[in-house]
Amino acid sequence: MKLRVLFSLLFVMAVAGCKAPQKPVINDDTIETSQVNGVTLTHRHAVTPPAEFTPVNEPYRAMYPASLMSRPDFGGKVIRTLDTGKTYVVLGQVEHYWMALADEGNEQLIGYVPMRAVIKADLYDAAVRKQAIRPKTRKKATCVDVDGNSKACKDSANGTWILN
């Protein structure tokens, strides 16, 4: 009987120092995987997986410093800002015509931008050139009536007045 009590006490003393395994701490930088429309996406915990996904997997360039969002709408958190002209990989198109982006050389989903914020890499140079070439606005001629039957107009190029 005494031996049974002694073994019980030894067992309790040995187990008392043990701790239960801790659950992993989940924060915004924890890497997760999600399955959407048969495609496996790897992303940080802070980035919400999309409800719909159409694969694209092509290089695109940023048209302006757009906000990279944590979900495909303007209600999410801003993760960072895109660098104008930098190449990103569009993993796919998601709901609300937003694009799921990854950094070049990496297949991890980093966030979402509106469709107009990026353009295919091979079309970028032409689009920038087209924006730079703006039609010149015609200057309006400044004319004044002189004596009721003639007119004097100012030449906008050199500032002289011409009588008609």
Side-chain angles (χ1 to χ4, degrees), residues 141-154 161-164:
T142 306
C143 296
V144 179
D145 284 333
V146 179
D147 291 336
N149 7 339
S150 63
K151 196 191 299 186
C153 295
K154 183 177 182 180
W161 288 86
I162 302 170
L163 288 172
N164 293 339

Side-chain angles (χ1 to χ4, degrees), residues 69-82:
M69 306 299 286
S70 63
R71 63 182 193 199
D73 61 30
F74 290 110
K77 289 184 201 175
V78 175
I79 295 173
R80 71 180 193 210
T81 304
L82 298 183

Side-chain angles (χ1 to χ4, degrees), residues 106-162:
N106 191 351
E107 294 190 11
Q108 180 179 323
L109 172 64
I110 58 172
Y112 308 95
V113 293
M115 183 182 280
R116 67 183 177 275
V118 291
I119 188 168
K120 286 186 177 184
D122 54 346
L123 300 176
Y124 178 79
D125 291 331
V128 170
R129 258 187 261 114
K130 185 177 180 181
Q131 284 182 348
I133 301 171
R134 303 254 168 128
K136 293 181 180 178
T137 57
R138 295 189 87 183
K139 293 186 179 179
K140 198 173 180 182
T142 306
C143 296
V144 179
D145 284 333
V146 179
D147 291 336
N149 7 339
S150 63
K151 196 191 299 186
C153 295
K154 183 177 182 180
D155 185 4
S156 61
N158 57 16
T160 59
W161 288 86
I162 302 170

Side-chain angles (χ1 to χ4, degrees), residues 3 17 29 34-35 40 49 63 72 75 81 98-99 114 118 132 137 145 152 161:
L3 198 56
D29 293 327
S34 300
Q35 191 85 9
T40 303
M63 290 297 290
T81 304
W98 283 60
M99 306 300 255
V118 291
T137 57
D145 284 333
W161 288 86

Side-chain angles (χ1 to χ4, degrees), residues 1 8 14 18 23 25 33 36 51 60-61 79 101 114 124 142 155:
M1 181 73 157
S8 297
C18 296
K23 293 182 182 178
V25 178
T33 56
V36 183
Y60 277 62
R61 291 178 72 181
I79 295 173
L101 292 185
Y124 178 79
T142 306
D155 185 4

